[in-house]
Amino acid sequence: MRLSSDSTTVRSEFADDPDMSPIVELFIRELPHRLAAMHSALASSNFEQLRSLAHQLKGAAGGYGFPKLGEAAALVDQGIKDGCDPNVIRSRVGMLAALAARIRP
Amino acid sequence: MDGCVGRSSSMVTRRMTLSSAPLPKVLAIDDSELIHRLLRVRLQHEQLELHGATESDQGLRMARELMPDVILLDIEMEGMDGFEVLQALKSDVDLQDIPVIFISATASMEDRVRALDLGAIDFVGKPFEVVELKARVRSALRVQHLVKMLAQRAQVDGLTGLWNRTYFDRRLSQEFAEAQRHGRTVSLVMCDVDGFKRLNDERGHPFGDMVLERFAKILQGGRTSDVACRYGGEEFGIILPNTTGIEAIEVAERYRRAFEQEVWSAAAGKVVTASFGVSDMISLPQATSFNDLIASADAALYRAKLNGRNRVEAAIAPNPAS
C-alpha cells in the first residue's frame, strides 16, 4: 500500500448528501485532533489507547464516506492486536495521517 | 427560508400524525460518539425514536427505563463489552425479549456466531451499509411487534378477554414482592359463579358462556388499578394493589350486587349470583408467598359458599384491632 506519492484530495462519498454534510464536516474538523491523540499515544507507547482510537476510526470512517481511511485505521488496529513491531505501527499511523491530510470538505 | 425550517418541522409533523401509535424506540449502545452521530442522521427519516448510550452501564440502565423495541449494540466497548451487555440483557426477565442487533467493526465469524448464540437476533458489520442497517432495524421491529402481540395473547383469556391464569400468577407474585419490599399491602378477591355447573347443564353452554362474559365485564369495570383475571373455569381472581382488606370487601360487595342485578332475557326471572372470598396482606403477616394469599382467599370463598352463597366473606375479622 503506497500512498505517500499520491497527493490528490479526497472527498467524502456523502459530501453532497444534505443530511450527511453537517456531520461529515464535523468529522473532518475533528480529524486532526484524533490524529494528534494517536500520535501522542504512539509517542508514549500507549498502544492500548492508540488501538482504541484506531478502532473507533475503523468503525466510523466508512460511515462518513471515507472507506480508505477506515481501512488504514484497521491496519493500525490489527497491527497492535497482532503485536507488530512499534516501527510497523508507526509507519501505519504515518500512512493513516498521510491519507487524512488529503481529506477536504 | 424553507430549507432548514421545513426539515425540522417535518419531524414534528410526522410525530404528531402518528401520535395514536407511539413510535417504536431504538436504543443504540456504542462507545463512539461518531457512531451515534451517524445513526442519528441515518435513521432520522425512519419511523422510530432513537436513543443513545455511550457506556455499557448507562445502556443497561436506559434499557430498563425505556423498554426499547430494538437495541443496537456495539461488541467492542471499554469496560463491559457487548457480549457481557447481551448476557445481562438476556438474563433479565423484563429485557430478554427485546431484539438485539449487534454492530461491530471486527465482525469475525466467531464473533457473529457467539453473538447469535447468546441471543442476538441479527448482526451488522461496521462500516454499515445504510440501506441494510435500516432494513435490519425494520425487520427486528417487525419481529418485536409479533413477539409483543404473542406475549399478550398468551396471557389473555379467549372467552372473557380478562387476563388468564398465567398472568394472574405472575402479576400476583410481583405485587406481593413489591408490597413486601415497600411496606405496602395487596388484597386478593377470589370469586366464583354460584351453581355454575347446574346452569350449564340446564341452560346449555352458550348461556354458561354468556354468564361468564357478563361476570367478567362487571369485574373489568371496577377501579383501574384492580387486575381482574380468569383463574380457571367459573373462578376469577382480582388483584387489588395498595388496597386494605376492608376496602377490598367493599369492592367485592359492589361486584356481587351488580351481578345479582343482571337481567337474563333468555331465562326470565332467573337470578344468577356469585360468591366472593377476600384476603389481604395485613391480615396475613405470616404470609411468605402469594400462594398464602390465594389459599386464604379460597378458604374465605369456601366459607361464603357454606354460608349460603351470593355473599362476601373475608379471611379476617373486619376490625383487626379489636
Side-chain angles (χ1 to χ4, degrees):
Chain A
M1 191 166 175
R2 289 181 184 280
L3 298 164
S4 50
S5 61
D6 191 345
S7 60
T8 53
T9 62
V10 173
R11 291 189 77 222
S12 165
E13 291 170 355
F14 309 120
D16 300 323
D17 180 336
D19 283 344
M20 284 295 289
S21 57
I23 65 165
V24 169
E25 282 162 27
L26 184 57
F27 178 85
I28 295 170
R29 272 205 305 283
E30 287 178 353
L31 198 53
H33 303 294
R34 289 182 192 280
L35 283 161
M38 291 174 85
H39 280 302
S40 122
L42 185 65
S44 58
S45 297
N46 187 346
F47 291 105
E48 196 48 45
Q49 171 77 6
L50 178 58
R51 201 196 141 210
S52 164
L53 290 163
H55 187 82
Q56 291 207 2
L57 211 48
K58 166 192 166 188
Y64 286 82
F66 301 108
K68 289 271 183 284
L69 191 70
E71 286 164 25
L75 283 176
V76 176
D77 180 36
Q78 193 60 44
I80 298 168
K81 210 192 249 174
D82 294 344
C84 288
D85 187 89
N87 285 323
V88 174
I89 306 297
R90 188 168 298 113
S91 101
R92 290 185 180 181
V93 173
M95 285 197 292
L96 177 66
L99 188 55
R102 290 165 46 207
I103 288 176
R104 297 285 179 281
Chain B
M1 66 160 272
D2 53 358
C4 204
V5 174
R7 212 183 313 154
S8 60
S9 65
S10 76
M11 292 269 294
V12 177
T13 322
R14 199 172 61 235
R15 271 159 200 257
M16 278 167 64
T17 50
L18 279 178
S19 61
S20 53
L23 287 175
K25 291 181 217 155
V26 174
L27 172 63
I29 308 175
D30 193 309
D31 61 359
S32 167
E33 185 51 44
L34 286 173
I35 295 297
H36 285 288
R37 270 185 220 157
L38 201 53
L39 289 172
R40 276 198 293 276
V41 169
R42 287 311 198 180
L43 296 176
Q44 69 178 332
H45 300 301
E46 297 294 294
Q47 302 287 357
L48 55 83
E49 193 183 297
L50 182 65
H51 299 263
T54 50
E55 282 166 32
S56 318
D57 294 349
Q58 184 199 14
L60 283 172
R61 205 171 52 242
M62 285 179 74
R64 282 189 201 99
E65 283 163 15
L66 291 167
M67 293 306 286
D69 298 280
V70 170
I71 293 176
L72 296 171
L73 182 58
D74 182 24
I75 284 188
E76 279 154 300
M77 287 188 286
E78 313 281 333
M80 190 193 267
D81 75 14
F83 291 114
E84 290 171 85
V85 175
L86 182 60
Q87 261 167 335
L89 289 169
K90 292 300 167 189
S91 56
D92 186 320
V93 282
D94 295 326
L95 305 177
Q96 61 191 6
D97 291 332
I98 302 172
V100 176
I101 300 177
F102 255 101
I103 297 183
S104 169
T106 307
S108 71
M109 192 267 280
E110 287 81 2
D111 278 351
R112 288 200 294 271
V113 169
R114 192 174 158 209
L116 292 170
D117 279 347
L118 280 172
I121 192 174
D122 210 342
F123 193 99
V124 184
K126 272 197 270 189
F128 36 75
E129 290 297 329
V130 180
V131 181
E132 181 191 353
L133 173 75
K134 286 182 187 171
R136 290 192 191 276
V137 169
R138 279 197 296 267
S139 153
L141 285 171
R142 278 197 299 275
V143 170
Q144 179 62 352
H145 179 71
L146 292 175
V147 166
K148 274 184 167 173
M149 204 168 73
L150 276 177
Q152 219 210 359
R153 294 259 166 101
Q155 297 181 2
V156 170
D157 174 58
L159 175 68
T160 61
L162 296 186
W163 296 110
N164 67 12
R165 173 69 183 274
T166 311
Y167 181 85
F168 173 85
D169 285 344
R170 199 167 55 79
R171 181 67 187 269
L172 185 59
S173 141
Q174 245 172 36
E175 293 291 345
F176 185 86
E178 288 216 348
Q180 270 192 326
R181 198 161 39 241
H182 299 110
R184 292 199 301 254
T185 188
V186 170
S187 288
L188 176 65
V189 175
M190 297 298 289
C191 48
D192 175 312
V193 177
D194 293 326
F196 184 73
K197 277 188 187 63
R198 239 185 59 207
L199 270 180
N200 246 345
D201 292 345
E202 288 174 5
R203 311 266 165 193
H205 287 281
F207 183 76
D209 284 352
M210 187 171 73
V211 166
L212 294 178
E213 284 174 81
R214 287 227 215 149
F215 189 45
K217 208 166 173 194
I218 290 171
L219 300 183
Q220 210 163 21
R223 309 181 308 177
T224 47
S225 58
D226 297 345
V227 185
C229 310
R230 186 171 178 195
Y231 191 72
E234 70 273 27
E235 196 171 359
F236 296 80
I238 307 141
I239 305 166
L240 304 93
N242 276 315
T243 304
T244 65
I246 292 157
E247 290 167 326
I249 292 170
E250 286 168 16
V251 169
E253 185 57 35
R254 274 204 296 279
Y255 293 147
R256 189 197 63 75
R257 249 179 288 133
F259 191 49
E260 182 186 48
Q261 284 160 11
E262 283 284 314
V263 177
W264 306 92
S265 56
K270 179 82 185 170
V271 173
V272 186
T273 60
S275 299
F276 299 76
V278 179
S279 69
D280 72 283
M281 281 178 74
I282 297 173
S283 333
L284 282 174
Q286 75 282 13
T288 52
S289 99
F290 71 99
N291 285 313
D292 296 334
L293 268 182
I294 299 178
S296 170
D298 261 339
L301 173 59
Y302 183 68
R303 224 167 37 246
K305 296 277 182 192
L306 282 184
N307 291 342
R309 298 172 174 172
N310 190 23
R311 55 190 290 131
V312 179
E313 292 280 348
I316 33 138
N319 188 355
S322 64

